[in-house]
Amino acid sequence: MKPAVIISLFVLLGLCAAVIIGFRPSLSSPLPHDDEQSGLKERITIKFSHVVAENTPKGLAAEHFANLVAQKSQDRIEIQVFPNGMLYSDPTEVDALKRGDIQMIAPAYSKLSAEAPAFLALDLPFAFPNQQAVDEALQGDIGRTLASTLEEHGMKGVAYWTNGFKQMTDNRKPLHKPEDFAGLTFRIMPSKVLASQFARLGAKTAFIPFTEVYRNVEQNSVGGQENTISNIYSKRLYKVQSFMTLSNHGYLGYAVIFNKPFWDKLPADVRRILQEALDETSLWIGMQAREINKLQLEEIRKAGTMRIDELSEADRQSWMQILEPLYGEYDKEIGHGLVAEIRKLRERYSAP
């Protein structure tokens, strides 16, 4: 038998066997789709760096957001969260974002004021009488105006997350009257308004990254600091500070920001998923933060390591009177429109 005939018989027998076991070759059909390999090819990874602990409002919001995005995108989008300054600290995270080394951060408003001075508006003392005033400001024209100022710096503001109102702590004595601040040094975030606030109260200031606050307070490099209850608790500052005044004199929240070129290049459906998850997280953490601060204040009270006083209304008025000139001092730098809007909001929510 000729070789060509033998080869043809082998091919014919092979095709018959394939038909018997159920294989139907089709030269015109595409190769089967591999969902797993396709998913790996299309997966988008976003590095999210922040400087606080996982059990703080921002830390919890970051994890909640990451989980929502994974669910909504069916794991197509992965948010990699790096807390506690693991990748970048306060002074370096904004530059890292602008370089594209990370894609997402959520700094406190004060930390944006060097790039966008309009954010100094949120540091004005006693600007917000309550959380409702904060929500109206950031969900309305004030929030949109602030976000727009980031664009020229290569950043895209996409959400605002809540922490809460700031309280005063120190090592020397209770802080009730403005004169109680004289001679003390306070750790602050990098903000001209915050520096001026303490200067008007007769105190000195030092900018110290959040990740280094505990060590500096413990070593008495600074005598005091201002922060939310959740940050005082998570950083264990209540163990190295003797006094806390519940003053609610300022507000601490976070602007959630993407690297703008990265955001702009994302597919429209990905941006939609991210924004939906951000909006849902903003609502969720708004409810969680109030409860967290409340419960952790009780934990600090139980620890019994510091004296806790509430600022009386008379003393509050004394603080406000001394600090009120800051509104005029920073009117031009912040922008008159923003300062005027905050004044109106404050008056409306302060009205009996």
Side-chain angles (χ1 to χ4, degrees), residues 87-125:
L87 290 184
Y88 297 98
S89 63
D90 287 331
T92 60
E93 66 177 3
V94 171
D95 285 340
L97 180 82
K98 290 165 70 174
R99 289 194 307 269
D101 295 342
I102 48 178
Q103 292 74 50
M104 188 177 177
I105 59 175
Y109 307 134
S110 303
K111 297 166 189 174
L112 294 168
S113 59
E115 302 280 342
F119 274 88
L120 289 169
L122 302 180
D123 282 335
L124 289 168

Side-chain angles (χ1 to χ4, degrees), residues 79-330:
I79 308 294
Q80 295 180 347
V81 181
F82 299 91
N84 278 315
M86 187 184 301
L87 290 184
Y88 297 98
S89 63
D90 287 331
T92 60
E93 66 177 3
V94 171
D95 285 340
L97 180 82
K98 290 165 70 174
R99 289 194 307 269
D101 295 342
I102 48 178
Q103 292 74 50
M104 188 177 177
I105 59 175
Y109 307 134
S110 303
K111 297 166 189 174
L112 294 168
S113 59
E115 302 280 342
F119 274 88
L120 289 169
L122 302 180
D123 282 335
L124 289 168
F126 297 103
F128 304 107
N130 51 43
Q131 185 63 48
Q132 289 76 15
V134 175
D135 293 342
E136 182 175 328
L138 296 179
Q139 293 168 15
D141 290 340
I142 291 173
R144 286 187 287 272
T145 298
L146 291 172
S148 70
T149 65
L150 298 171
E151 304 250 339
E152 64 183 279
H153 302 287
M155 297 185 282
K156 175 70 177 178
V158 289
Y160 296 101
W161 287 350
T162 294
N163 187 325
F165 287 91
K166 293 187 287 186
Q167 322 302 338
M168 294 285 191
T169 71
D170 83 294
N171 272 334
R172 186 187 295 180
K173 58 185 176 181
L175 301 171
H176 294 165
K177 302 185 181 303
E179 52 265 32
D180 294 332
F181 289 82
L184 292 174
T185 300
F186 283 79
R187 175 267 174 176
I188 61 167
M189 292 183 286
S191 163
K192 293 179 180 179
V193 167
L194 296 182
S196 296
Q197 166 188 275
F198 283 104
R200 290 196 65 82
L201 291 168
K204 297 177 182 180
T205 55
F207 163 61
I208 298 171
F210 185 68
T211 51
E212 299 174 23
V213 173
Y214 180 91
R215 177 174 57 83
N216 279 269
V217 170
E218 183 184 34
Q219 296 175 355
N220 282 316
S221 299
V222 292
Q225 59 91 53
E226 57 170 11
N227 233 310
T228 59
I229 295 295
S230 64
N231 284 349
I232 292 167
Y233 181 80
S234 67
K235 272 295 178 188
R236 298 178 296 123
L237 297 175
Y238 66 97
K239 295 186 176 182
V240 290
Q241 294 268 265
S242 303
F243 304 97
M244 177 160 65
T245 302
L246 301 176
S247 53
N248 291 345
H249 64 280
Y251 186 78
L252 178 61
Y254 309 104
V256 186
I257 303 170
F258 273 83
N259 171 281
K260 189 175 187 303
F262 175 83
W263 176 270
D264 290 344
K265 289 177 183 177
L266 290 172
D269 65 319
V270 171
R271 291 199 302 268
R272 177 183 56 76
I273 289 170
L274 291 170
Q275 193 64 62
E276 282 182 4
L278 286 162
D279 293 344
E280 290 178 27
T281 301
S282 296
L283 292 173
W284 180 82
I285 198 56
M287 294 183 289
Q288 296 294 318
R290 286 188 288 274
E291 190 64 20
I292 290 168
N293 281 292
K294 179 181 175 182
L295 292 174
Q296 291 180 345
L297 176 58
E298 290 308 308
E299 291 299 314
I300 294 172
R301 289 188 193 276
K302 289 177 186 176
T305 54
M306 67 189 328
R307 171 175 164 176
I308 302 174
D309 297 314
E310 290 197 35
L311 192 65
S312 71
E313 186 55 35
D315 288 336
R316 181 185 304 277
Q317 292 301 320
S318 296
W319 289 30
M320 292 178 69
Q321 185 176 359
I322 285 179
L323 297 173
E324 182 65 23
L326 294 179
Y327 284 74
E329 182 180 341
Y330 286 95

Side-chain angles (χ1 to χ4, degrees), residues 15 32 64 66 326:
L15 288 173
H64 186 80
L326 294 179

